[in-house]
Structures are given as structure tokens and as C-alpha cells.
């Protein structure tokens, strides 16, 4: 008989995995990627005939040092808030890469949220100024909470500014952040206000069509910029002022129909020649990160499947030790 472990959202929550553990797991797998110890395929999209309500992303990856493979399916349904549902609901299946035996099925909604925030944090750790004081964040749902709280643990922030399209959304987000941080949090009405004089600029908006929320003029010397919305919210000339552009994976950056810098890739403004590095090359020491305090550096991450596998390994290891979840007979 073969059994596998089912881990629901509440099962995962009860494991009480910390932000520090998540960031460490993500940084380790990013380094493994930089050393060529991971295998993954570009994400693919399934777009149902649903009137534009949303689509599915399918991610597949393997991490050799963890001896684990995984597949995640995650929906991206922006209007879900109208039904009281998260915009991103995910499910991950984990496998033994030596035999193909399925090991676990788990709710991957939390994984999707925190691994994205952790990737923002890992990028900032290596690319932002260590004395960053002001964080400007556009977007209030999905991965936004992890973005802000993880960055808040790494930098001596003096102010966090947040905004989103709906006033009630940004106010609720600011209130939620104030419950967990002593850093002053201010909800502002526009992206321009959020990004004004900011040291770290994160664009995680949920747009229906391209709209320039992150303007080139907002990026001052020394700034660290992270645009990763599904639909572009940046100006086309943004890369013209950047000293370095870093991505999570160049092949992944060129794939699919979505992404913050999709137009920049398609028009040749971002190419293998203009790219500084993949973040794994920087974390593993193959290429430099920030070298000067005045450098403007942009980090575009699209969400690699190997991050999902790394956190699935962390969850599964913790669940096995605690005998958490439900064992299901597979065959």
C-alpha cells in the first residue's frame, strides 16, 4: 500500500512556520538555482472561458538538494474578494523524484503568499541599501502582507506607505499591518504618494489592463524597485534609468503572456545583453549585487516553482515530525 499526506490550510497554519524560516528556505533554494542544482519548466497558463474572471498557473519544479519534486496549480482570480475568497488559491502535490511516488497533497495558498514575499525580501537583502528607511507598496491583497512584513524585519524602516485601488482595501491593509509592526504605517491615496522619495518601491497591483502606476520619475538614486504585478503597471522607459536589472530566471522572464515587464521583453528593452544577473547568481556569489549606494536596481521576479518546492519540503518535514495532516491511501 502507498499512503500520502493531505495537509489542509488549517493544518499548515498550525505548523506555525516563521517568516525567518521561510526567508531562509527561499534564499537557500535561490542559491541552489544559482549553482545549477534545480530543474523546472516555465509556468503555463490555463485561461478558461469565464468572461475574464481569472486564469490558472501551472508550475513544475525539482530541487536536487532537497530530493523533492512538485507541481502547483494556483488560480489568479482578482474579483474573488467580492465573494470573500482569496484571489489566489493553490494546491500542490509533492513527489519522490526517485520513484515518482506521490508524497503529499497540500493547500498551497499560504505557500504562494509567503514565498513571493520572501523572494522580494531575498532580493532586497542583496540589492537594496542596508539603510533603507521608506517603503512604498502598491497593492493590498494576496502577497502584499508578506512583502511588507518580511521587508520590515530586514531593514530599519521609519515609514511604510501603502495604497490600493479601493480606499477600504488600503485602509484595512494598513490597519492589519499596524497590528504586527511598530513601524509607522500610512495609507495613501495614490501610487505617486506611496513612491515619493521611497528607498524601496514594490508594485504588486492587480490591474485589468496596463496602467503606469510606477513612474520612472519616482525612482531616485539608490532606490530598489520590485515590479511584479501580473499586468504591467510601469512606464516603458523605466529601465532607462536603472543601473542594474535582475530577474529570478531569464527563461521564465521570457515565457507566458503576463508579467510586469512583458512589454520590455517583447520590445527588446530587456534582453540577455541588458540584464545584469539572475538573483541566484548573486546569492551564490557568481555576480555582484549592489556595489554602490547610488545605484538604481530593479528586481523582477515572476514566481519560480522551485520556491514552492522548497516551502513544500519545509512544510512536509515539519508535518511528518508533528504527525500533522491526514494520511490518505493512494493505492
Amino acid at each position: 500500500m502507498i499512503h500520502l499526506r493531505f495537509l489542509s490550510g488549517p493544518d499548515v497554519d498550525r505548523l506555525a512556520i516563521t517568516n525567518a524560516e521561510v526567508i531562509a528556505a527561499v534564499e537557500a533554494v535561490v542559491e541552489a538555482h544559482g549553482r545549477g542544482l534545480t530543474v523546472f519548466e516555465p509556468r503555463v497558463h490555463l485561461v478558461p472561458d469565464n468572461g475574464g474572471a481569472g486564469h490558472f498557473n501551472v508550475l513544475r519544479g525539482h530541487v536536487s538538494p532537497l530530493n523533492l519534486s512538485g507541481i502547483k496549480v494556483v488560480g489568479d482570480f482578482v474579483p474573488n474578494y467580492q465573494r470573500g475568497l482569496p484571489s489566489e488559491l493553490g494546491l500542490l502535490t509533492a513527489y519522490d523524484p526517485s520513484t515518482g511516488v506521490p508524497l503529499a497533497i497540500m493547500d498551497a495558498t499560504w505557500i504562494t503568499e509567503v514565498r513571493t514575499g520572501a523572494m522580494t525580501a531575498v532580493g532586497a537583502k542583496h540589492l537594496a541599501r542596508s539603510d533603507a528607511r521608506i517603503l512604498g507598496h502598491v497593492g493590498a491583497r494576496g502577497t502584499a502582507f508578506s512583502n511588507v512584513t518580511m521587508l520590515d524585519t530586514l531593514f530599519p524602516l521609519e515609514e511604510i506607505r501603502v495604497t490600493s485601488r479601493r480606499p477600504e482595501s488600503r485602509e484595512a491593509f494598513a490597519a492589519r499591518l499596524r497590528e504586527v509592526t511598530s513601524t509607522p504605517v500610512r495609507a495613501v491615496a495614490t501610487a505617486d504618494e506611496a513612491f515619493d522619495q521611497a528607498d524601496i518601491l514594490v508594485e504588486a497591483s492587480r490591474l485589468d489592463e496596463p496602467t503606469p502606476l510606477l513612474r520612472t520619475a519616482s525612482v531616485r538614486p539608490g532606490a530598489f524597485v520590485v515590479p511584479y504585478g501580473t499586468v504591467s503597471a510601469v512606464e516603458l522607459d523605466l529601465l532607462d534609468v536603472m543601473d542594474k536589472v535582475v530577474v529570478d530566471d531569464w527563461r521564465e522572464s521570457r515565457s507566458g503572456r503576463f508579467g510586469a515587464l512583458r512589454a520590455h521583453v517583447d520590445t527588446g528593452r530587456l534582453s540577455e545583453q541588458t540584464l545584469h544577473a539572475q538573483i541566484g547568481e548573486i546569492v551564490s556569489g557568481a555576480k555582484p549585487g549592489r556595489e554602490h549606494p547610488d545605484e538604481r536596481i530593479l528586481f523582477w521576479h515572476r514566481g519560480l516553482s522551485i520556491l514552492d518546492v522548497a516551502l513544500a519540503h519545509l512544510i512536509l518535514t515539519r508535518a511528518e515530525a508533528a504527525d500533522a495532516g491526514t494520511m490518505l491511501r493512494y493505492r
Side-chain angles (χ1 to χ4, degrees), residues 4 34 36 64 70 75 101 116 151 154 156 180 199 236 249 298 326:
L4 54 82
S64 296
V101 169
T116 305
L151 288 170
L154 296 180
V180 298
D199 301 301
L236 197 58
D249 181 83
L298 182 146
T326 303

Side-chain angles (χ1 to χ4, degrees), residues 176-238:
R176 184 184 177 197
L177 289 170
R178 293 185 190 110
E179 293 176 354
V180 298
T181 180
S182 59
T183 304
V185 179
R186 185 158 60 97
V188 297
T190 67
D192 287 340
E193 290 178 82
F195 292 144
D196 182 41
Q197 299 297 305
D199 301 301
I200 300 176
L201 300 79
V202 181
E203 179 277 306
S205 59
R206 314 287 293 175
L207 298 177
D208 298 320
E209 58 183 29
T211 306
L213 300 177
L214 175 52
R215 302 182 187 280
T216 305
S218 298
V219 183
R220 67 175 189 167
F224 174 60
V225 180
V226 186
Y228 73 82
T230 300
V231 177
S232 177
V234 302
E235 293 185 317
L236 197 58
D237 65 353
L238 180 68

Side-chain angles (χ1 to χ4, degrees), residues 25-276:
V26 167
E27 187 169 29
V29 79
V30 167
E31 181 180 14
H33 175 250
R35 295 166 53 207
L37 299 177
T38 62
V39 180
F40 64 96
E41 296 297 328
R43 71 174 61 198
V44 294
H45 307 291
L46 174 64
V47 185
D49 182 12
N50 58 14
H55 66 277
F56 296 97
N57 302 293
V58 183
L59 300 93
R60 304 146 292 168
H62 167 75
V63 181
S64 296
L66 302 178
N67 194 38
L68 190 68
S69 301
I71 299 172
K72 186 183 78 170
V73 179
V74 59
D76 193 348
F77 290 76
V78 175
N80 270 8
Y81 72 89
Q82 299 170 357
R83 304 186 183 192
L85 294 171
S87 57
E88 295 176 315
L89 292 165
L91 190 72
L92 184 143
T93 51
Y95 303 87
D96 182 331
S98 301
T99 62
V101 169
L103 302 174
I105 301 171
M106 63 182 72
D107 182 331
T109 305
W110 177 82
I111 288 177
T112 302
E113 176 183 337
V114 298
R115 63 88 145 133
T116 305
M119 190 59 140
T120 299
V122 169
K125 180 179 176 180
H126 293 269
L127 300 172
R129 290 174 56 129
S130 60
D131 61 350
R133 295 290 192 271
I134 300 175
L135 165 62
H137 192 285
V138 172
R141 288 181 288 125
T143 60
F145 186 76
S146 290
N147 275 333
V148 174
T149 55
M150 290 186 181
L151 288 170
D152 190 41
T153 66
L154 296 180
F155 295 92
L157 297 178
E158 296 176 353
E159 183 179 37
I160 296 169
R161 303 187 201 130
V162 298
T163 192
S164 65
R165 182 165 37 189
R166 295 180 297 119
E168 63 272 25
S169 175
R170 59 178 174 259
E171 292 293 345
F173 182 41
R176 184 184 177 197
L177 289 170
R178 293 185 190 110
E179 293 176 354
V180 298
T181 180
S182 59
T183 304
V185 179
R186 185 158 60 97
V188 297
T190 67
D192 287 340
E193 290 178 82
F195 292 144
D196 182 41
Q197 299 297 305
D199 301 301
I200 300 176
L201 300 79
V202 181
E203 179 277 306
S205 59
R206 314 287 293 175
L207 298 177
D208 298 320
E209 58 183 29
T211 306
L213 300 177
L214 175 52
R215 302 182 187 280
T216 305
S218 298
V219 183
R220 67 175 189 167
F224 174 60
V225 180
V226 186
Y228 73 82
T230 300
V231 177
S232 177
V234 302
E235 293 185 317
L236 197 58
D237 65 353
L238 180 68
L239 301 191
D240 295 350
V241 302
M242 291 298 162
D243 296 292
K244 289 174 180 170
V245 177
V246 178
V247 299
D248 50 4
D249 181 83
W250 176 235
R251 185 183 64 173
E252 188 78 3
S253 300
R254 291 175 292 167
S255 71
R257 53 187 283 196
F258 300 110
L261 300 186
R262 178 85 281 123
H264 299 77
V265 174
D266 293 344
T267 59
R269 286 174 177 262
L270 179 59
S271 66
E272 197 164 9
Q273 288 68 45
T274 62
L275 181 71
H276 170 66

